[in-house]
Amino acid sequence: MADYTKMWTDLGLNLDNHDALLANLGGAYQSIFMTQENRPAGMGYFDFVMSEAHGLRIQELREEQEAGRKIIGSFCVFVPEEIVLAAGCTSVGLCSGADFAQEEVEKVLPRNTCSLIKSFFGFSLGKVCPYMEVSDLIVGENTCDGKKKAFETFKEMVPNFYQMDMPQNKAPMGRKLLTHEYKAFLAKLEEMTGKKISKKDLQEGIAIVNAKRAALSRLAILRAADPCPISGLDALLINQIAFLDNPARFTEKLNALCDELDVLVKEKKGAIAEKAPRVIISGCPMAIPNWKVPAVIEAAGAVIVGEESCIGERGQRNATDDSAETLDGLIDAVVDRYFKIDCAVFTPNQERVEHIKEMTKNYNADGVIHYGLQFCQPYIMESFSVEKTLEKDGISVLRLETDYSQEDMGQLSTRVEAFVEII
Ligand code: BJ8
């Protein structure tokens, strides 16, 4: 990597902390990703993006800023990228996938807060996330109680914070609330940029995001093959990078990789051996660099064939209809698309379990591993009914509860190995 010290200093990063984070990340990446066998050649691009995630990509975002674009950071797939792009802005996901500055974090948050929330506090307090620091606006959403209450403290730490309210159920009033919030967000971006969003702008934004989602769905479908042409780890990585990379370039590179995978499937060449036990992972999102559980699963000899997760199919499925004749009609279509996301913060949330069943069937999975972050009430509460419903249908389920530490690796491996043996 080139020397980006000046850029990181200008962004206000704490260089010692940042070096420590990069060293950790680099080591984990090498041992988890680069030791895999039979990786498709197209993964080279995604390895490169990861190696430059804090370098070249940040430089690009700064160049975009110099050219007048605003960078919008977000923590949730409910923040509509179509509207961000329509406003001439760039969307970046704020990862929150690793522990950092835990002692400092626990001075402002209770210990029993989920790792994801603690992570973005740690990244902010430790000044280690260039995406957070480069963002002109950071959008938080009132989804789970943990996030919405934590944002009350977070907004004191981050002056450029914008909070979006969120419905808790799928009733008509919930839809009305989401429409109101998306219109307010659009108005906020117009105010920030001084640009009036037209119907054509939103149509263009929708086209870019739909193309990205179509490529991700192409990748998802290719994983139905046995042998699977790509590891679950690599597929997860691609889904994670979807939140950071330039969307048009990402789509082009992912389609090129899918062309390669098409050939591998025809030739029956797999990244993982044929007849390996096939698993769907379902539950909390796994943000970069949270690769712990997938690494354990694939080290146990199974292959992950789908993620029922916001960094995966829950977040990326369903296109936005772009056929409306008016700007309001298009905003309605954006609301329609996002209102289908079956996050566990909604009650009731029967659609989610139906989707898990559908994924199990579509990707020929032998079992489901439910992944819950400790102290995440929505997903852990829901995991009991998910398990009960799936088992009624004869689908084996393993429920895991963990955090970002490495302390439970031995215990996780034992449980996963036992599960993989019986499916
Ligand atoms: S749409 S899943 S990205 S809210 S793990 S912080 S739920 S206590 S992340 Fe999410 Fe949007 Fe829903 Fe998806 Fe709370 Fe649970 Fe922590 Fe979580």
Side-chain angles (χ1 to χ4, degrees):
M1 186 158 56
D3 184 3
Y4 294 106
T5 312
K6 180 172 177 335
M7 177 176 79
W8 295 331
T9 311
D10 291 348
L11 282 171
L13 295 188
N14 176 319
L15 295 183
D16 289 342
N17 285 350
H18 185 244
D19 281 353
L21 178 77
L22 283 195
N24 228 320
L25 228 164
Y29 196 80
Q30 282 298 325
S31 67
I32 295 175
F33 287 91
M34 304 312 282
T35 52
Q36 298 179 97
E37 287 170 8
N38 307 321
R39 295 180 85 209
M43 281 311 294
Y45 171 73
F46 300 97
D47 288 332
F48 173 71
V49 173
M50 273 308 290
S51 70
E52 289 289 343
H54 281 210
L56 203 54
R57 181 63 186 137
I58 301 298
Q59 192 174 301
E60 283 182 347
L61 293 174
R62 293 198 13 125
E63 283 162 9
E64 288 186 13
Q65 262 174 334
E66 275 157 30
R69 280 179 88 88
K70 302 282 183 206
I71 311 299
I72 313 297
S74 64
F75 300 104
C76 177
V77 294
F78 266 100
V79 178
E81 188 174 3
E82 294 88 334
I83 293 179
V84 172
L85 292 173
C89 303
T90 296
S91 169
V92 291
L94 300 173
C95 329
S96 322
D99 286 336
F100 206 84
Q102 285 299 284
E103 268 182 36
E104 293 307 301
V105 172
E106 286 179 13
K107 287 180 192 155
V108 291
L109 286 179
R111 255 200 77 235
N112 57 351
T113 303
C114 88
S115 294
L116 196 145
I117 297 172
K118 281 186 176 168
S119 173
F120 66 76
F121 269 70
F123 280 18
S124 177
L125 290 165
K127 291 264 169 251
V128 289
C129 177
Y131 290 91
M132 221 177 249
E133 304 307 324
V134 83
S135 292
D136 295 289
L137 189 75
I138 295 185
V139 185
E141 16 58 53
N142 293 341
T143 43
C144 65
D145 283 354
K147 271 201 206 170
K148 71 184 172 223
K149 295 307 284 183
F151 286 143
E152 289 175 7
T153 309
F154 193 64
K155 67 178 156 211
E156 313 257 296
M157 293 156 45
V158 182
N160 51 343
F161 186 77
Y162 176 86
Q163 199 153 359
M164 189 183 269
D165 204 5
M166 283 286 307
Q168 305 278 299
N169 63 51
K170 299 280 173 83
M173 277 309 280
R175 194 185 178 288
K176 238 187 189 164
L177 172 62
L178 195 62
T179 310
H180 174 270
E181 289 302 304
Y182 281 4
K183 285 190 172 166
F185 180 53
L186 184 143
K188 171 72 187 174
L189 296 181
E190 284 185 335
E191 176 207 306
M192 266 182 85
T193 57
K195 172 188 155 105
K196 194 94 195 111
I197 295 175
S198 67
K199 177 191 149 203
K200 186 166 164 280
D201 294 328
L202 188 49
Q203 246 159 357
E204 284 170 7
I206 291 172
I208 293 170
V209 183
N210 277 350
K212 175 162 83 168
R213 295 197 181 119
L216 284 163
S217 135
R218 208 181 144 198
L219 172 69
I221 293 163
L222 281 158
R223 294 165 74 191
D226 187 19
C228 197
I230 185 164
S231 69
L233 275 164
D234 279 339
L236 171 65
L237 184 75
I238 293 168
N239 275 281
Q240 291 174 329
I241 289 175
F243 290 86
L244 301 180
D245 200 6
N246 171 286
R249 181 178 59 205
F250 172 88
T251 303
E252 187 197 320
K253 296 292 184 184
L254 179 52
N255 276 320
L257 172 73
C258 289
D259 292 342
E260 184 189 348
L261 299 186
D262 272 335
V263 176
L264 292 175
V265 170
K266 275 192 204 109
E267 294 175 349
K268 281 196 129 315
K269 287 189 181 145
I272 311 267
E274 197 173 357
K275 306 259 181 285
R278 302 167 66 87
V279 166
I280 296 286
I281 192 152
S282 164
C284 294
M286 291 177 175
I288 294 176
N290 178 10
W291 304 305
K292 179 169 93 170
V293 171
V296 166
I297 297 172
E298 296 204 327
V303 55
I304 301 165
V305 292
E307 296 77 27
E308 190 282 315
S309 163
C310 283
I311 300 185
E313 197 159 308
R314 185 192 317 126
Q316 299 293 355
R317 70 186 172 141
N318 298 322
T320 302
D321 183 359
D322 64 353
S323 63
E325 304 271 323
T326 61
L327 178 62
D328 271 345
L330 286 177
I331 297 172
D332 260 346
V334 172
V335 174
D336 280 342
R337 187 261 159 203
Y338 283 82
F339 205 50
K340 290 186 198 130
I341 298 173
D342 42 11
C343 169
V345 300
F346 285 91
T347 182
N349 194 30
Q350 188 54 31
E351 301 97 298
R352 182 170 160 237
V353 76
E354 294 307 325
H355 181 218
I356 304 172
K357 280 192 213 164
E358 195 185 296
M359 285 182 72
T360 311
K361 195 163 145 246
N362 290 350
Y363 305 129
N364 307 311
D366 303 301
V368 172
I369 296 190
H370 192 282
Y371 163 80
L373 274 177
Q374 256 167 25
F375 312 119
C376 168
Q377 289 187 348
Y379 282 93
I380 292 178
M381 290 246 182
E382 216 166 89
S383 69
F384 289 85
S385 60
V386 165
E387 180 180 34
K388 225 163 96 193
T389 315
L390 293 182
E391 288 194 334
K392 232 190 265 159
D393 273 34
I395 303 167
S396 304
V397 181
L398 173 68
R399 277 191 298 118
L400 297 179
E401 222 179 286
T402 184
D403 56 15
Y404 289 170
S405 76
Q406 301 297 305
E407 281 158 22
D408 58 353
M409 284 290 282
Q411 192 216 20
L412 282 176
S413 299
T414 313
R415 293 191 59 206
V416 168
E417 279 162 17
F419 182 70
V420 167
E421 236 168 67
I422 58 151
I423 58 174

